[in-house]
Amino acid sequence: DILEELGKNKKDKILIGFALETKNLINNAKSKLKNKNLDLIIANPLKEGISGFNSNTNLAVLIYKNGKEEKLSLMNKKELADLILDKLVFLLKDKA
């Protein structure tokens, strides 16, 4: 698992991952967040036509290392990517 290896050696870096889940979205994502030593995980439910690989939209929950959860409304994938970059900037500033 590439992300797990990165997490073991990340030192002071920010590490963000994704979890596409069919069941137990939050619990599975939190487990991955911890096991892979992530700072943020974007949890995506696999919902045909709404969220996942064959869709232009995503319904995500951002889960931070400190346990904070941020449930997002349905948005297109470009908007989500922009939001993730904004969160990365915030995490970088917080770490500085």
Side-chain angles (χ1 to χ4, degrees):
D1 185 305
I2 294 169
L3 196 53
E4 189 172 347
E5 280 300 311
L6 291 171
K8 288 177 185 175
N9 301 301
K10 80 175 197 168
K11 298 178 184 162
D12 63 344
K13 307 248 183 327
I14 300 291
L15 195 57
I16 298 173
F18 292 84
L20 180 64
E21 303 292 339
T22 57
K23 298 178 190 171
N24 303 317
L25 177 69
I26 301 300
N27 288 339
N28 289 342
K30 283 182 175 181
S31 177
K32 288 178 181 178
L33 177 83
K34 182 180 178 185
N35 293 338
K36 297 172 191 283
N37 194 23
L38 305 177
D39 296 282
L40 171 64
I41 193 162
I42 295 86
N44 302 288
L46 181 59
K47 293 187 177 186
E48 199 64 40
I50 294 174
S51 186
F53 293 114
N54 294 322
S55 172
N56 292 325
T57 57
N58 227 328
L59 186 61
V61 179
L62 306 181
I63 305 172
Y64 297 85
K65 190 173 196 165
N66 66 6
K68 178 184 170 195
E69 296 177 24
E70 188 176 344
K71 293 181 182 180
L72 304 176
S73 58
L74 185 68
M75 63 180 66
N76 71 49
K77 290 183 177 181
K78 183 188 178 317
E79 290 172 318
L80 180 58
D82 288 342
L83 181 65
I84 293 167
L85 289 173
D86 290 343
K87 300 302 179 179
L88 173 59
V89 168
F90 175 78
L91 291 170
L92 288 168
K93 286 181 181 178
D94 193 44
K95 206 163 216 181

